[in-house]
Amino acid sequence: MVHGIQPEQPFTLGDVELTRHPERSIRVNRIAAALSVLGVTALLGALGATVTSAIYLLLTRSRDWHDMLDWWDVRMALAVLLPAAFYIWRWNRIRAAWTFRGYHLGAEELYIRRGLLNRKLSVLAYARIQEVNVSSGPIQRRYRLATVTISSAAGREAVEDVDPQTAHDLRDRLTELARERRLPV
């Protein structure tokens, strides 16, 4: 495990080995995190520029934009750099979280484990599965990955970032198992 972090009892499946996600899924998660940080940074930058411009115009009643540019401060840049600092912290956490992700097709249920700080172990009974979908976004397609979404009456769960062929095989197997174990109506 990464840096001595190991799963606790409620998040292990005894002697069962979880199927791991491909290591290239780490890169996909890092790209997704970078895009979200970029969006937050742009939003904070635009908000900071708007607020400080409004304050400057209200205080000075000046319409000279050159004076306003001199008024902007380094502290405004710090508000924009906060998301970047968060992303740097998150960079290694993405790899650590990857070690906790996995799934297992049991005899009667599907087990899905994920999360580093907020850990989650989901158990889906095959008899309760209503729908199984495979999807792939543009970044996932670039790195040859896909997501299998499983719907049941209790909600939706997903096995994210698996090989496309594995995703289609998993979809077909889950559909077959759900059909075999479906409760009579």
Side-chain angles (χ1 to χ4, degrees), residues 20 47 116 132 142 154:
R20 301 299 291 272
L47 183 65
L116 178 65
V132 182
R142 165 70 174 89

Side-chain angles (χ1 to χ4, degrees), residues 5 12 15 41 48 62 73 88 124 134 136 139 144 146 151 162 167 185:
I5 303 172
T12 58
D15 297 334
T41 303
S62 171
D73 198 280
I88 291 168
L124 297 165
V134 175
S136 185
I139 297 172
R144 299 180 326 276
S151 300
V162 293
V185 179

Side-chain angles (χ1 to χ4, degrees), residues 15-183:
D15 297 334
V16 175
E17 184 70 27
L18 293 173
T19 303
R20 301 299 291 272
H21 298 277
E23 195 160 344
R24 63 184 180 273
S25 67
I26 296 170
R27 177 171 275 172
V28 170
N29 288 319
R30 285 180 174 165
I31 291 170
L35 289 174
S36 66
V37 165
L38 182 66
V40 169
T41 303
L43 181 67
L44 283 176
L47 183 65
T50 303
V51 168
T52 56
S53 298
I55 291 171
Y56 175 79
L57 292 173
L58 286 172
L59 291 177
T60 63
R61 304 222 188 271
S62 171
R63 300 290 183 233
D64 187 11
W65 290 99
H66 298 290
D67 291 340
M68 186 171 61
L69 290 176
D70 292 337
W71 190 71
W72 281 346
D73 198 280
V74 175
R75 289 172 284 194
M76 193 172 110
L78 291 177
V80 174
L81 293 177
L82 285 176
F86 172 75
Y87 179 70
I88 291 168
W89 173 80
R90 180 92 173 99
W91 182 263
N92 284 332
R93 295 289 150 229
I94 290 173
R95 176 174 285 286
W98 173 79
T99 62
F100 287 96
R101 291 174 52 192
Y103 65 94
H104 175 71
L105 291 172
E108 295 296 322
E109 23 331 89
L110 168 69
Y111 300 93
I112 303 171
R113 185 179 75 183
R114 70 181 151 280
L116 178 65
L117 298 176
N118 296 321
R119 296 180 186 169
K120 183 176 180 181
L121 176 65
S122 301
V123 181
L124 297 165
Y126 297 136
R128 300 289 184 188
I129 293 176
Q130 296 174 344
E131 182 180 15
V132 182
N133 293 318
V134 175
S135 62
S136 185
I139 297 172
Q140 284 182 319
R141 284 193 301 274
R142 165 70 174 89
Y143 290 97
R144 299 180 326 276
L145 295 170
T147 296
V148 180
T149 306
I150 303 113
S151 300
S152 69
R156 290 179 185 248
E157 291 294 331
V159 178
E160 298 174 338
D161 300 333
V162 293
D163 290 315
Q165 186 59 46
T166 303
H168 291 289
D169 293 344
L170 186 59
R171 179 199 58 199
D172 295 342
R173 182 71 179 136
L174 287 172
T175 304
E176 176 186 321
L177 289 168
R179 196 173 292 129
E180 288 174 4
R181 290 172 175 75
R182 184 149 296 135
L183 300 173

